[in-house]
Amino acid sequence: MAKPQDFNTHVTPTWCPGCGNFGLWQGFKESLSELGLEPHQIAMVFDIGCCGNGVNWHNLYGFHSLHGRTVPVAEAIKMANHNLKVIAASGDGGGYGEGGNHFLHGCRMNFDITLLIHNNQIYGLTTGQASPTTDTGMETKTTPSGQLEQPFHPLQVAIPQGASFVARTFAGDIKHCKEIFKQAIEHKGFSLVDVLQPCITWNKVNTFQWYKERIYKLEDENWNTKDKDAALIKAGEWGEKIPIGVLYVGDQSSYESQLPQIKDKSLVEQGVTSGDISEFLEEFK
Ligand SMILES: Cc1ncc(C[n+]2csc(CCOP(=O)(O)OP(=O)(O)O)c2C)c(N)n1
Ligand code: SF4
Ligand SMILES: [Mg+2]
């Protein structure tokens, strides 16, 4: 069985020492190990950003996508090969901003993919501009007199939009990350995990301490994950108290398990090979 360290490559992470991404990463590797998965059984699509740079130090089938485009690439991989566990990893900027449209439709299509959002409430890699989840009033490079816009509430959008597994965890709690990731990966449908991930370099407001003072665990309250209406209300809770855990679990009949052309055999099992596309490419010369 693969150990967490078997999912490392020889590349040393370039994340800032102390970044929340390290805890998230550790929880993620432990979840893969405990699920009994091997590197060759996982395809992971990475966005552009600090989160996305992780493609270089994850030992699995990695694909470095374009900014905001992880979801459609992950869906395509799942269509091609149902046997792979398909995971998309994105920042809050890529996942909810540039990729907002894909996020909406990914929720309602319900492919069996897992979307992990490294939500640091900032554009990290480009050195600290406001992102969709930046809280109102926060001063950033692009909002020097304070963010005027309302923040995007991903869980509150995902639930009515059709996502069938909706959860939040905190990068400062590795064990919690691991448990939530395991459930998300096992779920047969579109799983969103919004990970509160402190960026210690560019976000001096939403720090580890800031989150620790606010978060509480739904599992401590015997939360009923089947109550969609209650989940929607809970998803809007943000500020003085922030719930983490699994908010909602719905229908597990994924898109690819119902599409007649591929439901029994994915494309790779049907022996579909790449054809000659040279004529098509002429158009772009
Ligand atoms: C379409 C597009 N827009 C903008 C950029 C520039 N860009 C690269 S990384 C980045 C910020 C990424 O922020 P986020 O997605 O939150 O990830 P983080 O770095 O915070 O992990 C931006 C704006 C890009 N590469 N492509
Ligand atoms: S800039 Fe922020 S999110 Fe990016 S690696 Fe550094 S601490 Fe982490
Ligand atoms: Mg970000």
Side-chain angles (χ1 to χ4, degrees):
M1 192 177 93
K3 299 184 184 67
Q5 58 269 32
D6 294 331
F7 295 96
N8 295 345
T9 66
H10 65 284
V11 179
T12 304
T14 53
W15 291 324
C16 308
C19 172
N21 278 323
F22 284 101
L24 189 163
W25 185 39
Q26 184 60 29
F28 178 64
K29 290 185 293 183
E30 289 181 13
S31 73
L32 300 179
S33 171
E34 289 191 14
L35 287 173
L37 292 168
E38 301 289 333
H40 72 274
Q41 296 175 307
I42 306 155
M44 191 155 173
V45 186
F46 292 82
D47 208 275
I48 302 298
C50 294
C51 143
N53 287 345
V55 70
N56 297 303
W57 43 91
H58 282 68
N59 180 33
L60 32 71
Y61 289 121
F63 187 100
H64 208 175
S65 178
L66 296 175
H67 204 33
R69 305 292 178 249
T70 55
V71 167
V73 177
E75 290 169 344
I77 294 172
K78 193 70 192 181
M79 291 259 262
N81 190 348
H82 307 172
N83 299 321
L84 290 169
K85 289 285 184 195
V86 182
I87 298 162
S90 184
D92 43 308
Y96 302 143
E98 282 84 349
N101 188 21
H102 296 303
F103 174 69
L104 289 181
H105 297 286
C107 289
R108 75 185 181 87
M109 289 180 87
N110 203 29
F111 274 91
D112 179 17
I113 61 173
T114 300
L115 176 62
L116 304 182
I117 300 286
H118 298 220
N119 185 358
N120 51 20
Q121 301 186 247
I122 202 90
Y123 281 131
L125 191 71
T126 43
T127 71
Q129 298 80 15
S131 83
T133 51
T134 299
D135 283 324
T136 308
M138 184 167 155
E139 293 176 17
T140 72
K141 280 193 176 167
T142 44
T143 58
S145 46
Q147 167 68 305
L148 296 175
E149 298 160 26
Q150 294 293 315
F152 181 75
H153 290 295
L155 311 184
Q156 232 182 359
V157 173
I159 294 168
Q161 193 59 27
S164 55
F165 181 98
V166 178
R168 183 191 280 132
T169 186
F170 171 48
D173 187 336
I174 293 172
K175 188 165 177 289
H176 195 266
C177 283
K178 177 187 75 177
E179 295 301 335
I180 298 295
F181 295 157
K182 279 168 64 178
Q183 293 177 58
I185 293 167
E186 286 289 86
H187 177 81
K188 302 278 178 224
F190 185 90
S191 309
L192 169 69
V193 186
D194 184 71
V195 188
L196 304 174
Q197 176 253 306
C199 166
I200 60 160
T201 303
W202 299 111
N203 188 337
K204 305 292 186 191
V205 175
N206 309 108
T207 60
F208 280 98
Q209 193 56 33
W210 189 91
Y211 289 120
K212 278 181 188 163
E213 286 165 7
R214 289 164 173 78
I215 58 176
Y216 69 98
K217 294 179 180 168
L218 290 172
E219 47 275 31
D220 292 344
E221 304 193 340
N222 292 324
W223 181 253
N224 176 7
T225 59
K226 301 287 177 202
D227 188 339
K228 195 171 186 178
D229 293 339
L232 191 53
I233 293 169
K234 187 63 85 177
E237 195 175 343
W238 184 264
E240 291 308 306
K241 287 179 78 192
I242 301 175
I244 63 171
V246 180
L247 271 85
Y248 176 66
V249 182
D251 180 18
Q252 300 229 19
S253 44
S254 65
Y255 186 96
E256 75 282 356
S257 71
Q258 300 177 76
L259 191 65
Q261 295 86 343
I262 58 167
K263 68 183 174 69
D264 298 321
K265 266 187 179 179
S266 57
L267 293 175
V268 288
E269 293 163 312
Q270 294 180 30
V272 176
T273 55
S274 51
D276 180 6
I277 59 165
S278 52
E279 195 182 330
F280 173 72
L281 291 176
E282 285 296 314
E283 200 183 320
F284 298 96
K285 276 194 174 167

